[in-house]
Amino acid sequence: MKNYSKMSLKVFFFIFCFVCFPSLRGISQTLDSISTIDLKEVVVKAQMHRTNASSSTFTPTINQKTSAQNAIDLLKQLAIPQININMMDNTVTTPSGQSVAIYINYILASAEEMEGISTSDVRRVEYLDFPSDPRFQGNEHVVNFIVQKYEYGGYTKATLNENFLIGKLSSRASIYSKFVYKRMTYDLYVGASNHNINHSGNSVSGEYSLENEAGETYQITRNETLESAHLKYNQYPVTFRAIYDTDKMQIANTVGFNFDQTPLSETKGMLSFVPQQNTDYSYYKNEPSTSRYFVWSGNYYFILPRDFHLSVSPGMNYGHTNYSYIYQTSLSGNSSIANISREDVWQFRGSTTLFKKVADKQSAFFRTWFGSTSNDVSYSGTSPYDNEFLDMYAGAALGYNFSNDKWNLRADAALQWEKNQINDQSVAEVYPLLNLSAGFSPSQKHSFRTFFHFGANYPGASEKTPNVLQQNELMYYTGNPSIGLSRQVTFNLSYNWIPTSAFSASAFMQYFGEYDLYVPVYQPYQDGKALLRTFETDGAYNRTQIGLSFNYRLLNGKLQLAASPSVSFYRMTGLFDISQSPFYCNASATYYLGNFYFQAAYQTRSLTVQGNRGVIYKDRDFYQVLAGWSHSNWNIRVSGMNLFRKDWLCATNLLSTPLYSETQLVEGNNFHQRLNLSVTYTFGYGKKVKRGNEVGEQSGAASAIMK
């Protein structure tokens, strides 16, 4: 029994003291009478959060589970210090910006799977760095939802999400259903996303260094000013999954189909040149596309004799895409540009991990993986081409893990082979990969973790295409088949502190470096009358980040405060000489009142230096207030985003090179004022004694079409 007498929050939000005094009334008893015990009210507080050398575990409260509409929403409610969730697009990363893989009961989940989850079934949420469990398929940073088991029955969940004030139509609807019978679990997901908006496009001011007939250099500025836009976008995913689950094995197969269509993506505006060329002109662009994807993936896990574990994850994607780029101007003497492309893409992939417990506290694993992506792309219209791309890779890794009550040490080394082929031209390379990580936890309240990663980054098919495509009157695009991979180094050090169930905090420092990276370069084209953008290997990219985050619950959990401030130091050398040191912070306050919940959240502007583009990217700050009601099967929420912002500016991209500089203003509805209505209805059937995984939309392979 504990009485919490004092708690304060100081210095960057997370230095605070906790004093605990036990008290107990005396017990009076005599030998010749009935014993009498007089006790005060006993309050038992469960340990909701804990940390150790390899993971941190968070148990959501009833308020957090009932107010959350999906998995990402529950992560927001938990405010886990080790992750960051972007308020605009719900992207989950580490505070330093690295990808976090989301799993549900040890099976990789998609965004739509997380939309269909029944949050009331979530027992706990784990965050892991470099987990040794073979089911995590070698992912470096993982969030794993542990969902309670079903014996039979299941549930059906309907979701409706509608945005107002940003266009004629912006809605998403889905139905997810899970049914369990004995050892089999069946999942079905059907969704629809429809958008019809009038503000989506770019205004571009580009400064070109060209040559006249005499070979003399002169400067000309081309201004493309957006005046109107119209975008229609539709998406219809359907996915089915079957899981066979026993104490010794888990076999899951997922098949999915997705129809993705943009029947209209047009922008109109004014085109002008400085020095002035007689008059201003008008321009028109349209980029319609249609894609169809079919996806199959498997996840097979077996517990074998002699402490062996085997995890196998094969997969296959097929996609067909029709994409067109139409550009017209009223400029005399200039014909329209029409790049019409068709693409068929096949992707095969797989990984196998054999895990062995070699001693009481030691384990080892051997992992192999392979993959291939084949893109058959044909262009017609202004620049007709036919190309075949083939990217193949394979690798093998050997790893070791030591873990006890306080320490977790992990090391793995790998060799990866990669081959890129464009038509008859190919290049292949073998390179090493190395991961080292260590964790120390003196108690469930403290943990220190560090990791080192050495790897490589290979350019995609669109960066290596030999095609030359025209973008406008003065600019052409191509790739570079001969560019190779760049080397990457990451070093991270973090400290996690969970002194009580009411407070948790994390501090980190990370360095990321990429060397010999490929960047865009511009060179004279058509005797200096235009420019050609291609890619070359040049320079280095360095990013150092320092930050902290905290989560503090007050008023017996009814009020929750969270914040994550950080500062980044960017340094890019070579052709792009860039130095930036932006500050970033997101913060939120959530209050629970019976069946109602309220939240206010704010996210500062984000500034990043995009290394392989040489671009300084700046978006805008984002703020949101919401009120919701959750009772029984219903969860109804109304949100207001950026309510006092009426312009449509989303981001600014800045590029500077010796021959070409560009300022691009990106317009859209992401940071415009918006009202959102979100409703979920869930009804269950059956007895909850067996875990359930969820299924959602499947994504296709990466496209090789150059845009």
Side-chain angles (χ1 to χ4, degrees), residues 243-475:
I243 302 174
Y244 177 74
D245 198 355
T246 72
D247 293 337
K248 296 292 184 180
M249 69 176 67
Q250 185 180 69
I251 299 174
N253 285 284
T254 304
V255 292
F257 174 78
N258 192 9
F259 178 78
D260 196 325
Q261 181 189 50
T262 305
L264 184 67
S265 178
E266 64 177 18
T267 55
K268 301 176 183 179
M270 297 302 298
L271 179 65
S272 63
F273 297 87
V274 180
Q276 185 74 27
Q277 294 185 353
N278 299 325
T279 185
D280 292 342
Y281 307 93
S282 63
Y283 74 88
Y284 169 83
K285 288 182 184 179
N286 192 17
E287 300 179 65
S289 65
T290 300
S291 298
R292 298 172 179 85
Y293 299 107
F294 173 81
V295 178
W296 165 76
S297 62
N299 288 277
Y300 313 135
Y301 175 67
F302 305 94
I303 299 177
L304 305 176
R306 300 180 182 274
D307 289 325
F308 280 97
H309 298 244
L310 178 65
S311 177
V312 182
S313 301
M316 184 274 290
N317 295 6
Y318 168 74
H320 177 82
T321 298
N322 295 329
Y323 167 78
S324 299
Y325 173 80
I326 310 299
Y327 175 77
Q328 300 171 342
T329 72
S330 62
L331 188 65
S332 60
N334 280 266
S335 59
S336 62
I337 301 171
N339 295 322
I340 302 171
S341 58
R342 293 169 55 89
E343 178 187 40
D344 288 291
V345 54
W346 287 91
Q347 184 181 79
F348 300 92
R349 64 191 181 278
S351 66
T352 300
T353 302
L354 183 63
F355 176 92
K356 166 66 174 175
K357 188 174 181 180
V358 296
D360 183 38
K361 300 175 183 179
Q362 302 178 65
S363 60
F365 71 87
F366 177 70
R367 178 181 297 118
T368 62
W369 60 89
F370 75 93
S372 69
T373 302
S374 173
N375 303 78
D376 187 357
V377 185
S378 63
Y379 295 89
S380 59
T382 304
S383 305
Y385 292 98
D386 286 299
N387 284 317
E388 293 184 357
F389 301 87
L390 178 61
D391 294 333
M392 303 176 65
Y393 65 89
L398 186 63
Y400 168 82
N401 187 82
F402 171 83
S403 183
N404 62 17
D405 294 339
K406 293 186 177 182
W407 287 93
N408 181 269
L409 305 175
R410 184 180 183 273
D412 67 82
L415 285 178
Q416 178 154 310
W417 167 82
E418 202 156 338
K419 178 181 179 180
N420 298 86
Q421 180 174 325
I422 304 175
N423 300 324
D424 296 328
Q425 184 176 358
S426 65
V427 59
E429 190 162 357
V430 177
Y431 54 91
L433 301 171
L434 179 65
N435 291 307
L436 302 172
S437 66
F440 172 68
S441 178
S443 71
Q444 292 188 353
K445 297 181 179 181
H446 306 271
S447 66
F448 300 85
R449 297 178 200 153
T450 184
F451 67 81
F452 172 83
H453 168 76
F454 175 80
N457 178 31
Y458 222 99
S462 62
E463 286 82 12
K464 297 172 73 69
T465 180
N467 300 351
V468 176
L469 299 179
Q470 186 177 5
Q471 187 198 36
N472 59 46
E473 308 83 14
L474 304 176
M475 182 67 72

Side-chain angles (χ1 to χ4, degrees), residues 455-531:
N457 178 31
Y458 222 99
S462 62
E463 286 82 12
K464 297 172 73 69
T465 180
N467 300 351
V468 176
L469 299 179
Q470 186 177 5
Q471 187 198 36
N472 59 46
E473 308 83 14
L474 304 176
M475 182 67 72
Y476 292 77
Y477 285 173
T478 189
N480 184 350
S482 63
I483 56 174
L485 57 81
S486 58
R487 308 294 181 179
Q488 295 180 339
V489 170
T490 305
F491 173 75
N492 183 281
L493 178 64
S494 64
Y495 167 61
N496 305 299
W497 184 34
I498 307 179
T500 73
S501 294
F503 183 80
S504 58
S506 179
F508 77 95
M509 184 281 292
Q510 178 171 292
Y511 168 77
F512 172 81
E514 185 170 357
Y515 315 104
D516 296 325
L517 73 162
Y518 63 90
V519 295
V521 296
Y522 296 83
Q523 56 194 40
Y525 191 64
Q526 291 186 339
D527 298 324
K529 298 181 178 63
L531 294 179

Side-chain angles (χ1 to χ4, degrees), residues 6-7 10 53 77 86 94 140 151 169 174 275 312 318 322 356 369 397-398 429 439 468 485 528 536 556 661 670 703:
K6 181 184 290 187
M7 185 176 298
K10 303 176 181 178
Q77 302 284 341
N86 188 286
T94 66
E140 298 172 358
E151 183 178 336
L169 177 67
S174 67
V312 182
Y318 168 74
N322 295 329
K356 166 66 174 175
W369 60 89
L398 186 63
E429 190 162 357
V468 176
L485 57 81
E536 297 289 347
N556 199 28
S661 297
N670 291 335
S703 173

Side-chain angles (χ1 to χ4, degrees), residues 204-224:
V204 182
S205 177
E207 186 174 322
Y208 297 74
S209 181
L210 304 177
E211 298 177 2
N212 59 22
E213 299 293 339
E216 298 172 334
T217 300
Y218 70 96
Q219 304 291 323
I220 184 171
T221 301
R222 178 184 180 276
N223 295 311
E224 189 177 293

